[in-house]
Amino acid sequence: MDCFQTSPSSSWIYPTVILCLYGFFSTMRPSEPFLAPYLTGPSKNLTSEEITNEVFPVWTYSYLLLLLPVYKPVIILQGVSFIVTWLMLLFAHGVKAMQVMEFFFGMVTATEVAYYAYIYSVVSPEHYQRVSGYCRSVMLAAYTVASVLAQLLVSLARLPYFYLNAISLASVSLACLCSLFLPMPRKSLFFHAKRSLEVEKSPSREAAVEEAPEWEAPGWAEEKPTSRVPTVSGQLAGGRGRSARADSSAWGVCVRWVRDLRQCYSCRRLLYWSLWWASSTAGYNQVVNYIQVLWDSKAASQDSLVYNGAVEALATFGGAVAALAVGHVNVSWDLLGELALAIFSVVNAASLFLMHQTTSIWVCYAAGYLIFKSSYELVKL
């Protein structure tokens, strides 16, 4: 047991490094800031109406349908979906093919939750905040690098958008390869039991059969004392005893899950945060999904040089710095949480209104999207 605990795969450093590598390569996609110009350009020759009404909505609904909070297999599935998405972007043509591509991209974003859920299944609680900060900052940094690279290649080298997608395919393929080296979790994401070193001196058989083991949900509650799983010799060690314990354990898990769920959402702060998170994420996804169509209506990408990559890089850079800082700073959400949500929600709403009303692409870029995305990424942390 000691040898296993000191092996690289059992420490928090090894999975953190692999997760960061996966996060970097899966997010380093220089084609993304120029997706709409690519689809409406000569490579795919789709109209703005087709991508707005027929192609992009597929991602929204497939994302909702395919949410899968599981571990390493789902991260590998995400890597494979990345590859399929960019293969179709490169070589498939037509509205139907692009709808299938958006479905696979919906699978990519739906399985992203497994990336963060995996952290809590392989990392000890004292490292949650730091590892989350590392992974988030690496992903934001990768998106920043990809956006800057894309803008330089488009503006200076006049590289066609097709080759940006080829670079993205190479990057996500490396990410898929990295996912194969992730260690498999050895505990459940939601519940795991701990055996006590102490055994009750004289437990009755009835108590042993009826008592469910204590379970804990990592991440929501404070660390609980080690639970006790009574052991009884004789008949209880036999087949019927094991069956009774299994039934009791399964029932105990269900009861504990319902109790924890009720306890979690009886907290007003957690309830407010969950409602804000759900609504803001839905709104953010819609904005990110259609923002390039809005930019194209302000300044057509086929008629003028666009700076989508530079804007995405600037908007993301602030989030990367904030993610790294938050990983090392304790924030009192008891005092500042609700006020921060209110202020940034108003700021985001004002940014959206400004982007809709202005006729200047520069105002839409700077005063609108930069403020919107930067503030969202900051509160999201």
Side-chain angles (χ1 to χ4, degrees):
M1 178 64 71
D2 293 337
C3 294
F4 172 76
Q5 288 180 346
T6 57
S7 65
S9 60
S10 64
S11 71
W12 68 275
I13 299 177
Y14 175 77
T16 300
V17 171
I18 301 299
L19 280 171
C20 288
L21 287 174
Y22 177 85
F24 181 87
F25 288 118
S26 65
T27 313
M28 219 289 290
R29 308 188 300 264
S31 61
E32 196 141 316
F34 298 95
L35 177 60
Y38 174 68
L39 294 177
T40 57
S43 296
K44 302 303 176 185
N45 201 29
L46 301 179
T47 65
S48 295
E49 289 74 17
E50 286 175 331
I51 65 174
T52 301
N53 300 323
E54 299 181 50
V55 176
F56 285 168
V58 175
W59 170 76
T60 304
Y61 297 113
S62 59
Y63 168 77
L64 178 64
L65 178 66
L66 297 171
L67 283 171
L68 296 170
V70 198
Y71 306 122
K72 177 179 176 179
V74 177
I75 298 180
I76 297 176
L77 174 64
Q78 184 187 48
V80 173
S81 300
F82 266 126
I83 295 175
V84 174
T85 297
W86 261 267
L87 282 173
M88 297 196 68
L89 273 173
L90 285 170
F91 304 113
H93 298 275
V95 173
K96 295 297 182 183
M98 292 302 100
Q99 288 175 332
V100 176
M101 178 274 297
E102 287 287 335
F103 175 82
F104 277 99
F105 189 67
M107 186 176 294
V108 165
T109 51
T111 52
E112 188 179 69
V113 66
Y115 179 80
Y116 292 101
Y118 178 88
I119 296 174
Y120 302 113
S121 62
V122 296
V123 175
S124 55
E126 62 267 22
H127 298 301
Y128 283 171
Q129 184 178 8
R130 179 173 297 182
V131 175
S132 297
Y134 289 154
C135 293
R136 183 65 183 163
S137 61
V138 163
M139 293 181 71
L140 293 175
Y143 195 82
T144 303
V145 171
S147 299
V148 171
L149 177 63
Q151 190 65 59
L152 292 176
L153 292 175
V154 169
S155 300
L156 301 181
R158 303 290 181 178
L159 192 73
Y161 299 134
F162 178 88
Y163 295 102
L164 296 182
N165 285 281
I167 297 173
S168 298
L169 175 61
S171 182
V172 297
S173 298
L174 286 174
C176 187
L177 181 63
C178 290
S179 68
L180 301 177
F181 294 94
L182 289 170
M184 286 294 291
R186 296 184 178 274
K187 67 181 180 182
S188 169
L189 169 63
F190 298 106
F191 304 103
H192 60 277
K194 296 181 180 178
R195 291 183 179 274
S196 175
L197 297 177
E198 297 180 358
V199 180
E200 289 182 303
K201 294 181 179 180
S202 58
S204 65
R205 179 182 176 188
E206 291 78 7
V209 174
E210 293 178 1
E211 181 179 354
E214 292 290 333
W215 301 82
E216 61 184 13
W220 290 116
E222 297 180 355
E223 191 72 21
K224 295 181 177 59
T226 304
S227 58
R228 294 174 296 169
V229 182
T231 57
V232 180
S233 59
Q235 297 140 345
L236 192 55
R240 286 189 299 176
R242 285 195 299 269
S243 176
R245 279 208 304 263
D247 293 340
S248 178
S249 297
W251 173 251
V253 169
C254 294
V255 171
R256 180 68 180 181
W257 181 79
V258 173
R259 186 188 307 151
D260 285 347
L261 188 65
R262 185 173 63 248
Q263 180 180 0
C264 285
Y265 286 98
S266 64
C267 173
R268 188 182 65 175
R269 189 175 71 257
L270 179 60
L271 180 61
Y272 288 167
W273 179 261
S274 299
L275 292 174
W276 182 89
W277 182 272
S279 58
S280 64
T281 301
Y284 174 80
N285 287 340
Q286 292 295 317
V287 172
V288 171
N289 197 25
Y290 293 101
I291 191 62
Q292 293 184 31
V293 178
L294 177 65
W295 289 342
D296 198 64
S297 68
K298 308 292 183 183
S301 58
Q302 308 305 321
D303 302 328
S304 60
L305 185 61
V306 294
Y307 295 92
N308 299 4
V311 174
E312 290 284 4
L314 290 174
T316 308
F317 179 74
V321 174
L324 188 60
V326 169
H328 297 273
V329 176
N330 293 323
V331 179
S332 177
W333 290 107
D334 290 334
L335 300 175
L336 303 176
E338 296 177 10
L339 179 61
L341 294 184
I343 292 175
F344 284 105
S345 297
V346 171
V347 169
N348 285 343
S351 300
L352 292 176
F353 181 78
L354 180 60
M355 284 191 288
H356 173 71
Q357 294 295 326
T358 184
T359 57
S360 170
I361 184 62
W362 296 107
V363 175
C364 192
Y365 276 155
Y369 190 67
L370 286 177
I371 296 174
F372 173 82
K373 187 170 184 178
S374 298
S375 59
Y376 173 81
E377 292 290 353
L378 179 61
V379 180
K380 182 180 178 181
L381 299 172

